[in-house]
Amino acid sequence: MIDQIKAVLLMVYSALSGFFLPIHDFIVAIMILLGVNFLSGWIEDCLHADGWKWRKAFKAMRECCVLCGIGAFVFVMGHFMHRPNSAVQCLTAIYAAAIWFYCINILVNWKKIVQKETTLYRFINFLYFVISMKFVEKIPYLSEFIAIEKNEND
């Protein structure tokens, strides 16, 4: 009986893996990004705050599940609408925006970790400037969103 359950689970896993193969790289990239985000936040907390916090760890896992779920949802919708290439293109834009937001957060954490007045700090500060000010122009609608969000907060 247990062998049959294992066989069914393996078949389901194989079928899902084959179905989601076109977005496998996207999912792996987002998981790596969120892992780096988690580690940089954890290191920053260890250096300047209380250290390990389960609340933040669960938040990171929840964000990873949500972003992977969004990717799966967009791809499934594109597949059933017979537009898998459009779904992958949409997913590219969605994940580009996610990469932007999480890279900004990672760089903010790194700026808090590295000592000021060092070459590495200046390099991180430069990356922060380029990604936060210049890279935003490359992602559709992101600069408009930031301007609207800034006006709402003022």
Side-chain angles (χ1 to χ4, degrees):
M1 179 70 173
I2 289 191
D3 289 336
Q4 291 173 340
I5 293 172
K6 285 181 184 179
V8 168
L9 290 175
L10 185 60
M11 286 189 298
V12 169
Y13 176 77
S14 297
L16 288 174
S17 294
F19 179 74
F20 288 115
L21 188 62
I23 62 167
H24 176 264
D25 294 339
F26 289 99
I27 301 296
V28 170
I30 283 297
M31 292 176 80
I32 290 170
L33 176 73
L34 291 172
V36 171
N37 182 54
F38 173 75
L39 286 175
S40 65
W42 179 44
I43 292 169
E44 195 276 326
D45 279 347
C46 286
L47 293 176
H48 300 107
D50 300 331
W52 178 264
K53 295 177 185 170
W54 281 105
R55 180 184 56 80
K56 285 183 124 179
F58 286 125
K59 179 184 173 203
M61 286 187 264
R62 197 170 47 245
E63 289 174 0
C64 186
C65 289
V66 166
L67 285 173
C68 291
I70 288 171
F73 177 76
V74 168
F75 183 72
V76 167
M77 291 298 105
H79 174 77
F80 286 117
M81 293 172 58
H82 304 287
R83 302 231 184 257
N85 293 338
S86 297
V88 170
Q89 186 177 6
C90 179
L91 199 55
T92 301
I94 291 169
Y95 279 168
I99 288 169
W100 184 83
F101 283 105
Y102 283 100
C103 280
I104 293 298
N105 191 49
I106 289 167
L107 290 171
V108 166
N109 284 331
W110 286 0
K111 284 172 65 172
K112 293 176 184 176
I113 292 170
V114 175
Q115 286 183 335
K116 291 184 179 184
E117 308 299 327
T118 63
T119 305
L120 182 58
Y121 182 84
R122 291 183 65 213
F123 175 68
I124 292 169
N125 212 16
F126 171 74
L127 286 177
Y128 178 79
F129 167 76
V130 169
I131 291 175
S132 65
M133 299 298 187
K134 299 299 179 184
F135 188 73
V136 71
E137 299 164 2
K138 305 287 184 197
I139 301 172
Y141 309 111
L142 187 58
S143 58
E144 293 175 42
F145 169 77
I146 291 171
I148 290 170
E149 190 177 57
K150 184 178 179 184
N151 288 338
E152 288 177 356
N153 290 337
D154 289 342

